[in-house]
Amino acid sequence: MARLKCAVVISGRGSNLQALIDACATPSFPAEIVNVISDKADAAGLKRAQAAKIPHRFIDPKEQGGRARFESALDEALIESGAELVCLAGFMRVLSAGFVEKWRDKLINIHPSLLPAFPGLHTHQRAIEAGARLTGCTVHFVRSDVDSGPIILQAAVPVVPDDTPETLADRVLTTEHRIYPEAVRLIALGRITVVDEVVRIDGVKPGKTSPFNPVPGD
Ligand code: GRF
């Protein structure tokens, strides 16, 4: 079976990239990573790609001179690598509406909150300050508004009384590493469709499944 060709676009640490690399290392996983692209030369994720022998490159936004040129270099690199799905994983730039539209329903992101709560930065601090009892993470298709778009998978994580943004971030990150590969797997299997801007997961009865493992018995 042909595996879905994925590119991963990062800016930093790359722990979600690593979760995807690890998932793809299983021969039966229906996706593979064909390219890792960073907008930061010193992103630790580039070393992870190197260690996994995955083609990787840094695209220098300064050298490109402006968002439009950076995005066309990114677009070119993605097309060149044959990517069928683009996974943003800690990529810290806002992509233009034109780029997002070009990759519509082929561009996904992971965000460390239960969207639509807490889009943007400092999500864990904001969840604690709001007194939220639950937070979590979301994998979603990207639309042009920041951290918006059809939700593919979510996982809830409790906020406990002594949490700091750091302890909460660590707990949420562990679940990010579970749902991102699962979302990619479901897309690769062709089980995800977007209907009226809502994701349908083939084989799942609405309301009958856990967000962690939405396809029981699979
Ligand atoms: C993650 O918390 C992700 O949800 C957010 O940025 C962070 C990236 O972490 N978008 P890493 O680079 O994957 O370790």
Side-chain angles (χ1 to χ4, degrees):
M1 187 193 66
R3 304 172 95 194
L4 185 75
K5 292 180 169 43
C6 302
V8 185
V9 182
I10 60 166
S11 295
R13 176 178 57 182
S15 70
N16 279 291
L17 164 66
Q18 189 66 54
L20 294 170
I21 290 173
D22 293 347
C24 292
T26 302
S28 60
F29 194 77
E32 63 180 325
I33 302 174
V34 293
N35 203 359
V36 173
I37 299 169
S38 172
D39 67 335
K40 295 269 191 269
D42 59 355
L46 286 173
K47 297 214 170 63
R48 297 178 190 266
Q50 189 175 17
K53 299 188 170 57
I54 296 168
H56 53 281
R57 65 176 283 200
F58 159 54
I59 300 179
D60 188 349
K62 285 204 191 87
E63 190 187 303
Q64 298 299 323
R67 180 161 88 163
R69 288 210 184 154
F70 171 79
E71 286 185 356
S72 65
L74 176 60
D75 184 59
E76 216 170 276
L78 292 171
I79 290 169
E80 216 170 83
S81 67
E84 299 164 292
L85 178 71
V86 180
C87 307
L88 306 181
F91 179 62
M92 296 308 286
R93 279 169 192 275
V94 176
L95 293 163
S96 70
F99 184 95
V100 168
E101 205 43 49
K102 182 163 182 218
W103 288 90
R104 190 181 179 88
D105 296 346
K106 294 187 175 70
L107 180 62
I108 64 175
N109 181 44
I110 184 147
H111 181 76
S113 77
L114 292 175
L115 291 172
F118 309 122
L121 298 175
H122 311 300
T123 53
H124 305 302
Q125 191 179 335
R126 286 157 62 209
I128 291 168
E129 282 170 5
R133 298 292 189 258
L134 286 174
T135 185
C137 52
T138 303
V139 180
H140 63 99
F141 286 108
V142 175
R143 296 293 185 259
S144 56
D145 287 339
V146 173
D147 298 325
S148 75
I151 291 166
I152 304 167
L153 288 181
Q154 290 186 308
V157 173
V159 182
V160 300
D162 290 335
D163 260 334
T164 63
E166 292 73 29
T167 59
L168 185 54
D170 283 351
R171 203 173 316 118
V172 171
L173 196 62
T174 307
T175 61
E176 292 184 38
H177 298 161
R178 294 171 65 181
I179 68 166
Y180 213 0
E182 176 63 3
V184 169
R185 189 182 77 90
L186 291 169
I187 292 169
L189 292 175
R191 291 199 179 162
I192 301 284
T193 43
V194 183
V195 181
D196 295 335
E197 289 297 85
V198 172
V199 165
R200 298 277 165 80
I201 304 177
D202 184 36
V204 170
K205 295 193 182 87
K208 293 243 168 182
T209 56
S210 127
F212 268 123
N213 186 5
V215 189
D218 183 60

